[in-house]
Amino acid sequence: MARYVDLHWKGDYEGLSRRERKGGLYRAYEPDVLAGRSFLLQGETAADIADAEHEILRLNGTASALRNTEALARMILRAEALSSSRIEGLVIGPRRILKAELGGAGADATAQEVLNNINAMSVALEHALESEITVDALCDIHRALTKETMIDRFSGVIRTEQNWLGGNAYNPCGASYVPPLPQRVLPLLEDLASFCNDNALSPLAQAAVAHAQFETIHPFVDGNGRVGRALVHVVLRRRGLSPNVVPPISLALATRAQEYVKELARFRHEGSFSDSDAVEGLNSWLSFFASCTLHACKNALEFERRIETIKSGWIGALGKAATSTDLLMADAMAGQPLFNATTMMQATGKTMPAVNSSIERFQKAGFVKQVNAGKRNRAFEAIGIIEAFTSFERNLASIADDTAVRKPERPVPFGS
């Protein structure tokens, strides 16, 4: 049964204030195990989950009809990784991170952490294709996430000390939440992995429960939120619900951050999972998660339509002069709006002369501009894509899906 454990913290005399130096009582939470547990879904909750799963399937079905699913998937995956970073406080505009991806100026510490987050999401999705989700897989995702950051020495290492959320850095006595004791972390992670490999729950419900349990365990020194959000996509990909496109659920969660924290707290019940409070907390969390998923899918579908309109405009304007390289370039630029000839050669499989000729045609038509000086190592931007990407992120920052109708609930990018 889930319970709180009452403990005493020994004083730390390195604290600056009296409150930071003194010891005191605190309560660490120990959750129920998940493997073999029954989950009672109320009728409305089950309907919410089914609606959200239908929209994920629609997003992936629509994307599979595109000439290049990878372009859309790449941009939405980047949005998901960026938004997950913003929840952790790493705020950075899309143009800056795209420049860092390309290898240009701007690859500072913040950009590196966000790039790691994108890499971690890719690692997570690779693990989804494996036969089982393991504790080692979760550690690999964390390792990818925290590589070359301030907590590099803890990369992929399960914590051996108590951590907490809120309060101060010296003791957990005033913390808003204290995760399980260190000795309980590995058994709980093993239980979580076992749950993730079971198919008893529907995919989205399983992903939502897995995410909440991971955040409850908080197994790493830092970076737990981003790994927990990546875990959502591991489950969805493994269960076949999102084979092509990852819905940007983290963007929707970030928009409703206060509700997110509140619903996670409701998920953490005391006593038996069959108690009424536990059932209500579970269903409230699942309905909230389904609502965020619907919000994410709706905006992702609109983003896809806008990108397709831009691409159609490019090719339509080139008319009969459009070559097979131009068609491939249009698809590739949708996913890599900041690029150079080498990256386009790799993306299209075409020769350097063919790519350079295509870039010139897009430049003359006014769809591509050079963004650095000189004739060597030229970098280019596909006009309109970053603006569409920024608009996509901004709309998801508003509960009304439009920042002109309702102000954003969180900091939003302006394209820098």
Side-chain angles (χ1 to χ4, degrees):
M1 293 203 306
R3 61 178 184 147
Y4 283 93
V5 182
D6 293 324
L7 299 162
H8 185 273
W9 186 266
K10 185 179 179 181
D12 185 337
Y13 295 99
E14 293 183 3
L16 297 177
S17 69
R18 186 181 300 275
R19 176 175 294 180
E20 291 171 345
R21 291 193 298 269
K22 73 177 184 178
L25 295 175
Y26 68 100
R27 307 185 81 203
Y29 182 67
E30 186 168 309
D32 268 325
V33 295
L34 298 178
R37 169 181 164 181
S38 61
F39 295 89
L40 178 60
L41 270 61
Q42 298 163 347
E44 287 190 3
T45 303
D48 289 342
I49 291 290
D51 288 346
E53 289 185 339
H54 174 76
E55 287 305 302
I56 295 174
L57 288 171
R58 189 158 78 98
L59 173 63
N60 278 264
T62 301
S64 66
L66 299 180
R67 286 192 302 275
N68 186 357
T69 299
E70 185 179 351
L72 174 66
R74 180 182 176 86
M75 289 299 284
I76 293 183
L77 177 62
R78 187 184 288 114
E80 173 69 355
L82 285 172
S83 66
S84 186
S85 295
R86 286 194 177 93
I87 292 175
E88 301 292 317
L90 303 175
V91 180
I92 185 169
R95 188 170 273 105
R96 182 173 159 198
I97 194 62
L98 286 164
K99 285 181 179 178
E101 264 193 312
L102 188 62
D108 53 27
T110 301
Q112 183 61 54
E113 288 201 47
V114 178
L115 286 174
N116 286 346
N117 205 31
I118 295 171
N119 184 39
M121 193 69 75
S122 299
V123 169
L125 295 178
E126 288 174 10
H127 278 300
L129 301 177
E130 298 177 358
S131 58
E132 288 192 341
I133 295 170
T134 64
V135 174
D136 285 344
L138 296 175
C139 291
D140 286 346
I141 295 168
H142 186 264
R143 192 172 294 112
L145 175 67
T146 55
K147 179 183 178 182
E148 298 177 11
T149 68
M150 293 178 64
I151 61 166
D152 184 83
R153 68 185 186 280
F154 298 114
S155 292
V157 179
I158 296 171
R159 65 178 170 88
T160 57
E161 296 182 357
Q162 186 64 63
N163 56 357
W164 58 88
L165 302 178
N168 62 63
Y170 296 94
N171 67 65
C173 301
S176 58
Y177 173 67
V178 182
L181 299 174
Q183 60 267 32
R184 291 292 301 144
V185 171
L186 182 56
L188 285 168
L189 278 182
E190 290 172 341
D191 168 69
L192 174 60
S194 178
F195 168 77
C196 289
N197 293 317
D198 187 278
N199 296 342
L201 272 178
S202 67
L204 188 65
Q206 183 182 37
V209 170
H211 172 76
Q213 185 78 342
F214 183 90
E215 297 306 322
T216 293
I217 300 168
H218 236 64
F220 300 110
V221 171
D222 198 2
N224 291 285
R226 283 166 276 168
V227 178
R229 286 181 283 276
L231 179 59
V232 170
H233 300 296
V234 173
V235 174
L236 296 181
R237 180 64 60 87
R238 177 186 170 274
R239 295 291 301 275
L241 194 63
S242 57
N244 301 316
V245 181
V246 174
I249 299 172
S250 290
L251 277 167
L253 291 175
T255 299
R256 300 168 66 177
Q258 291 184 338
E259 286 181 84
Y260 170 68
V261 173
K262 176 184 174 183
E263 293 297 340
L264 278 178
R266 289 197 68 184
F267 175 84
R268 296 168 186 148
H269 65 276
E270 284 189 83
S272 171
F273 58 76
S274 61
D275 291 345
S276 59
D277 285 348
V279 172
E280 288 293 333
L282 168 69
N283 280 267
S284 182
W285 163 250
L286 291 178
S287 289
F288 168 76
F289 197 88
S291 174
C292 289
T293 302
L294 283 169
H295 188 204
C297 288
K298 175 185 175 182
N299 280 273
L301 283 165
E302 182 55 39
F303 174 64
E304 175 216 327
R305 294 187 196 101
R306 185 167 177 180
I307 294 298
E308 281 300 292
T309 298
I310 292 171
K311 288 164 55 181
S312 298
W314 290 344
I315 299 303
L318 292 180
K320 294 181 180 180
T323 67
S324 61
T325 302
D326 295 335
L327 294 174
L328 292 171
M329 280 279 293
D331 285 339
M333 289 189 300
Q336 296 174 266
L338 286 183
F339 61 91
N340 55 36
T342 300
T343 58
M344 283 297 110
M345 186 175 69
Q346 294 168 345
T348 62
K350 296 293 186 177
T351 64
M352 185 65 77
V355 166
N356 279 324
S357 295
S358 184
I359 291 173
E360 287 180 15
R361 282 191 291 277
F362 279 111
Q363 272 188 295
K364 288 180 180 178
F367 302 132
V368 164
K369 64 180 179 181
Q370 186 172 339
V371 293
N372 61 350
K375 295 184 177 181
R376 298 185 61 185
N377 302 318
R378 294 185 301 165
F380 303 91
E381 179 180 330
I383 297 171
I385 299 295
I386 294 178
E387 288 74 14
F389 182 58
T390 300
S391 177
F392 165 60
E393 288 195 87
R394 287 179 60 80
N395 284 344
L396 261 170
S398 168
I399 293 176
D401 294 326
D402 187 343
T403 53
V405 174
R406 177 163 173 167
K407 292 181 179 180
E409 306 295 321
R410 55 181 169 81
V412 291
F414 285 90
S416 62

